[in-house]
Amino acid sequence: MAARWIRFHKITRMHIAQSMLIVGRALVLGWLTLHAAFAAESSSYPSKAIKLVVPYPAAGGADSLARPLAQQLSVRLAQSVVVDNRGGAGGNIAMELVTRSPADGHTLMLALTPQLAVNGALYPKLGYDPIHGFTPISLIAEAPYLLLVHPSLQANTVQELMALAAQDKGKLAYASSGSGSGGHMAAELLIHLSGVSMTHVPYKGGGPALSDVLAGHVKVIFAPAVSSMQYIQSGRLKPLAVSGKKRLASLPQVPTMAEAGIAGYDSTVWYALLAPANTPRDIVQRLYAELLQTLKDPSFKSMMAANGIEPLVTTPEELSSHITQEIVKWSKVVKSSGMRAD
């Protein structure tokens, strides 16, 4: 009886060992197959058209940067890069779309400060995680806003505008591309530092907001130079100040907000290129390398300089750290101003 038990025990242990070996081999084979599939996908990347999602409607500041960027990447990647404008909810719709997209490098996101650093504090619930929901690639650029008014408004300086706002006691309205947008934050910072009040009129994107200011329906807006320069040059918009720390080379006569008498004022917007979470590392590195070459291209650099955009390049790791720091900074501004999503 004892001998039978010993033989049975030995056979059972042998079967278990064989089973574990089979399972182990299957797991290794499965991993190798998956790795080979990723390697094949990465080596042939891109294998189809790439979608560059922009969180605002066409004709806004982000779109004005996205289209030249898409053209450059199309040439460098030898594959079409198509801009997909997905405005609405402060960019949340576009961000959610990208988080649900395959992590194969064929869907990219051009995100701005609001989507990555502001919306988390502004909206009670987000359908995406700005830190873990994406694979960071690099910062692309930073740009100031221009404080612009309709020519019919009797204000030629920031101080004259503040006087009108104080006189109207909040009736003077300013347009923005939506709650929590860069233009909205720039205006709220001005209101906070100057002590005057103005009425916020949010739109579903920079294009619609700018159109209503051009038509004179709303008189004031903080807009990117990239989307407003042509209207300044034609006299359809009047620039009062630059929101950053230095003047624009393309508008040397326009003072900064600090020079115009608003001490401590500084508000810019940054642009970042992202992919869905878990995008393969070699695809990220390929995109990063091509982005670096794009930012060195003379025609692209000239376009950025003419529109007051300054190139900003970071590694993926540096971009991740930058997003975390900016979330802390802008969350304090949202809380102190009492802003709410419209």
Side-chain angles (χ1 to χ4, degrees):
M1 187 70 177
R4 287 181 182 177
W5 170 252
I6 292 171
R7 284 198 302 273
F8 174 78
H9 187 61
K10 287 181 177 179
I11 293 170
T12 301
R13 285 193 301 173
M14 181 179 67
H15 285 171
I16 291 173
Q18 289 175 341
S19 297
M20 290 178 66
L21 181 61
I22 292 171
V23 171
R25 286 174 176 172
L27 289 172
V28 171
L29 181 61
W31 181 86
L32 290 173
T33 302
L34 184 61
H35 179 73
F38 274 123
E41 173 70 19
S42 300
S43 64
S44 62
Y45 175 80
S47 60
K48 59 183 179 180
I50 297 170
K51 181 165 58 178
L52 178 61
V53 180
V54 177
Y56 298 104
D63 197 50
S64 299
L65 177 61
R67 293 189 182 278
L69 176 63
Q71 291 172 1
Q72 285 279 340
L73 291 178
S74 294
V75 173
R76 298 183 187 283
L77 293 169
Q79 187 62 263
S80 297
V81 179
V82 181
V83 174
D84 184 7
N85 295 96
R86 297 291 182 116
N92 294 347
I93 293 173
M95 299 292 278
E96 291 178 29
L97 170 68
V98 174
T99 60
R100 296 193 300 266
S101 299
D104 59 6
H106 291 96
T107 300
L108 303 176
M109 180 80 214
L110 181 65
L112 283 69
T113 313
Q115 291 80 51
L116 293 172
V118 177
N119 287 359
L122 191 63
Y123 290 84
K125 291 183 179 180
L126 283 184
Y128 64 92
D129 185 331
I131 297 175
H132 302 105
F134 302 90
T135 298
I137 299 173
S138 178
L139 278 174
I140 299 175
E142 179 183 45
Y145 284 92
L146 289 170
L147 173 55
L148 306 168
V149 298
H150 190 268
S152 64
L153 192 68
Q154 298 300 308
N156 295 310
T157 67
V158 174
Q159 294 304 323
E160 289 177 357
L161 178 66
M162 294 299 93
L164 284 177
Q167 179 181 330
D168 289 345
K169 298 181 180 179
K171 292 182 181 179
L172 182 63
Y174 72 91
S176 85
S177 58
S179 294
S181 65
H184 182 200
M185 301 298 285
E188 286 298 325
L189 183 59
L190 173 59
I191 290 169
H192 174 72
L193 293 176
S194 67
V196 302
S197 60
M198 293 188 287
T199 299
H200 180 213
V201 182
Y203 289 80
K204 293 183 178 180
L210 197 59
S211 293
D212 256 18
V213 175
L214 288 167
H217 302 311
V218 183
K219 305 293 186 181
V220 182
I221 189 172
F222 277 88
V226 68
S227 60
S228 57
M229 190 65 71
Q230 58 179 314
Y231 305 115
I232 295 170
Q233 293 171 343
S234 64
R236 297 182 63 190
L237 289 175
K238 189 164 47 176
L240 301 188
V242 179
S243 72
K245 292 182 178 180
K246 58 184 180 181
R247 298 190 182 197
L248 296 181
S250 53
L251 293 171
Q253 77 282 7
V254 179
T256 65
M257 292 289 289
E259 290 173 334
I262 309 300
Y265 189 100
D266 179 30
S267 179
T268 59
V269 63
W270 43 266
Y271 302 77
L273 188 65
L274 311 167
N278 302 315
T279 297
R281 179 71 179 179
D282 48 353
I283 290 179
V284 171
Q285 290 174 336
R286 172 77 189 281
L287 289 166
Y288 178 71
E290 300 300 349
L291 180 61
L292 285 180
Q293 294 305 311
T294 294
L295 294 176
K296 293 177 182 177
D297 182 85
S299 62
F300 195 79
K301 288 173 64 177
S302 177
M303 178 279 296
M304 295 179 81
N307 291 291
I309 304 174
E310 183 175 345
L312 268 184
V313 181
T314 62
T315 64
E317 293 75 18
E318 288 170 340
L319 173 54
S320 181
S321 177
H322 178 75
I323 293 171
T324 301
Q325 293 171 7
E326 287 287 286
I327 287 174
V328 174
K329 170 186 173 180
W330 288 109
S331 293
K332 292 178 180 178
V333 174
V334 170
K335 184 176 180 180
S336 65
S337 66
M339 282 188 283
R340 295 287 185 274
D342 293 313

